[in-house]
Amino acid sequence: MHVHHPSSAAVRALAFILAFALFAPHLLGAQTPATDTTRAPHADSASQRSDTAAHRLAPVTVTVAPAEQTAPVSAVHVSAAVIRQTPARNPYDLLRQTAGVEIHEQGQGPGFASDASLRGFSSDHATDLALWIDGVPVNEPVNGHSEGYNDWNVLFPGGVQDIDVIRGPTSALFGNFALAGVVNVRTLERMRGTEVTASGGSFGRAEAMVLTGFDHGARGGGVIGARFQREDGFRPNSGYDISQGHARVVHDLSTTTRIDGGVELYGGDWRSPGFLSEDEFTRGQYDVVSNPTDGGSKRRAQERVSLRVLDGNLLWRSTVYATQSRWQLFLTIPPAGGQFEGTGSQTEEIDDRDGYGATTALTLFHDRGDVTVGGESRWDDSHYHNWFSTARQRDSVQALVTGQQLSGALFVQSSTRLGERLRLDAGARLDALRTRSLPANDASASDTHGIFSPKVGAIYQMSSALSAFANVSRGFRSPDGIIMDPSLALITEWSSEGGVKLARGGVSASATLFRSDVSNEQTFNPVTLETTAGGASRRQGLELDWRIPLPAPRAIVAAFSGDWTFNDARYRSLTAVAEDGGGPAQVLDGLRVFNTSKYVGLSALDIGAASGRWLLRADAVFNGPYSPFDEPGVVLPGYGFLNLSGQLQVGRTELDAGIRNVFSRRYPEVVAGGLYSPGEPRMLRLTVRVRT
């Protein structure tokens, strides 16, 4: 039963109204894309005028603007074409194969969020990465399973225009959970006609999607889609199904004002095979099932309305949004000495929540650049349950708590050209978070935390092709367990990077040295739910990325691309609780950060027809030696696997075929306390897409 107070609804509404009133007293603009992302060109001059002026914004100045080569940040851009042809099993795997993100899939169902890591941030359930879809944040604050729980399966793949992965806390527009960086998703604003997609593959995979839209020029445009996917899974008791809905509609109210609305709907049900012992994994005994009643379900919806006003050199944009989510999971973990889980008993967890938010920003364009000032506010109300259970029947309660968080921020971001060669980006955020914990059978507690996060970066054009850049920034995120103890201090980070970028004749490349120093470091075991905090760590390393056109006959285009991160992530000072809850503590000073690899890399070869009628792609994904959870000093061997895909256009029909993990390489996705979640063996996929 949820814990409610008689006046909680009124207090919540009043708090949200006051917070938004502070940051957006006039609500005149829209937090919408700086450039229109469409499959059909604009015909009206009003739309063209808006697009041209808005495009002057720097990529770190608008939440959903695309990254640029001329920005002093390290970022990877993933296009819609690459998204379509990649034989990925889910959005996590998609970013692993296209953007060099380190991924460790939990393997317990699609709504059981997996791990995504950048620059050595272990990011359990992707909590150190901020995910935004069209200006709406997806990370879940005050979550009892892990703070910032981040389920990427809400992404509607057919509706995605492109994705930017921004490394580090470099942008003043992203606050909580952007320690490692940001995954920034933009969806299609409009399209013409209808697209029907059917896909099938290994392990009983079947998928169907319908995407339709319209483009009426100045009168507006839109995209509406529905999708269903099911799979039996490569292990017994691992089947699942996913249903999704997506809609976005834009309309020009006048030559200066545009309204933009969007909805994302997602539901999934799954069964969980559980984890394997080291011996079972080594022998390839993937048919072991911990408990046939393990599994879960996830439901999420998010709605957004944005308004944008462009008048001369002023652009005002604002967004209001609402989110609703409920997930329930049953999971059995062998005894591992953790909190709530790891006892050998099945546990049931429920997170039931809703949230509201708003952003507003005013941008002034001037001869040498632009400056943006704005604010945001967010309210989240979550109800977390944790029970011991037997075959999905509750035995005893472990935790019943309501968590509430009201957050707000003021930010400023500017981009200025100083002469012909130098560009300076500077900004800052001032964040405040008020968290309240309401346990079912205990006194409530609340606390407030504030943090100031400056950002500064510069890029110098050494020649027409070569530039050097550097930036320093501060980032933060809420700590795990804040739903139970609001007094826990924020995790903070100082991050710096410097490098060079090359862009000439179709060649693009960059090399970046980075370092991050973290205070109030935590380590979290996703299997046992054991959290250790109060330490310090540092991440440092080198990132390389490139795209090089290759010599080819006149009718052929070819390119070689890659994205590699070499990383040294170590605890500077951290003492973890002993695994059995007693005995000597584990001193982690100088050891590698859990759940990270020494390097992660992606290399790809693309060959296609200049006409676009066909395309072949081969890419290889590599993970270096890996430091598993709760095994200090242990480093597991690295691994890699090859993926092949092809695309053929025949009239209005497109055929896509792909093979993931061609040689069926055996590898561990997650290792924790001697328990393994195995990676998927060879997977084949065939897709037919018809456009009308």
Side-chain angles (χ1 to χ4, degrees), residues 479-496:
D480 288 312
I482 198 171
I483 188 175
M484 303 294 294
D485 183 2
S487 67
L488 291 174
L490 300 175
I491 301 172
T492 61
E493 163 204 15
W494 279 102
S495 175
S496 59

Side-chain angles (χ1 to χ4, degrees), residues 161-217:
Q161 170 66 24
D162 54 10
I163 301 173
D164 281 322
V165 178
I166 304 171
R167 300 184 178 104
T170 54
S171 173
L173 291 182
F174 303 100
N176 203 1
F177 309 118
L179 274 182
V182 180
V183 177
N184 187 26
V185 180
R186 288 170 295 275
T187 67
L188 289 167
E189 183 180 281
R190 61 183 78 201
M191 65 177 287
R192 293 172 181 160
T194 299
E195 182 176 290
V196 179
T197 301
S199 179
S202 304
F203 313 118
R205 181 185 178 98
E207 178 183 348
M209 183 183 70
V210 177
L211 197 67
T212 189
F214 60 95
D215 183 4
H216 296 159

Side-chain angles (χ1 to χ4, degrees), residues 300-435:
R300 180 181 171 93
Q302 58 189 54
E303 307 86 21
R304 171 188 61 85
V305 177
S306 304
L307 192 68
R308 182 176 71 185
V309 178
L310 176 62
D311 190 4
N313 289 330
L314 290 177
L315 174 65
W316 199 321
R317 58 227 181 267
S318 293
T319 293
V320 293
Y321 62 86
T323 61
Q324 308 84 39
S325 174
R326 185 181 193 275
W327 56 255
Q328 178 184 33
L329 63 92
F330 297 88
L331 196 58
T332 303
I333 305 298
Q339 181 183 13
F340 302 154
E341 292 183 354
T343 63
S345 170
Q346 184 184 72
T347 57
E348 175 191 3
E349 288 186 84
I350 296 175
D351 181 273
D352 195 353
R353 66 177 52 237
D354 54 27
Y356 308 92
T359 60
T360 188
L362 177 67
T363 299
L364 170 66
F365 302 100
H366 55 84
D367 291 340
R368 294 187 176 182
D370 54 73
V371 59
T372 297
V373 294
E376 67 179 68
S377 181
R378 180 174 180 179
W379 167 260
D380 289 273
D381 182 41
S382 71
H383 310 279
Y384 177 71
H385 298 186
N386 192 304
W387 303 77
F388 279 126
S389 59
T390 302
R392 300 201 176 195
Q393 298 299 311
R394 293 173 179 172
D395 298 328
S396 58
V397 65
Q398 294 296 296
L400 295 175
V401 60
T402 292
Q404 299 173 341
Q405 188 175 92
L406 175 64
S407 62
L410 298 173
F411 57 82
V412 59
Q413 185 78 42
S414 68
S415 177
T416 305
R417 295 186 301 276
L418 303 176
E420 296 297 322
R421 294 180 177 269
L422 181 63
R423 166 180 160 179
L424 177 66
D425 283 6
R429 288 181 63 93
L430 180 61
D431 286 85
L433 297 87
R434 176 71 174 176
T435 306

Side-chain angles (χ1 to χ4, degrees), residues 109 167 205 209 241 250 269 278-279 281 336 356 467 654 684:
R167 300 184 178 104
R205 181 185 178 98
M209 183 183 70
D241 61 73
V250 299
D269 295 274
E278 182 178 2
D279 184 58
F281 172 79
Y356 308 92
S467 58
E654 181 182 289
L684 285 71

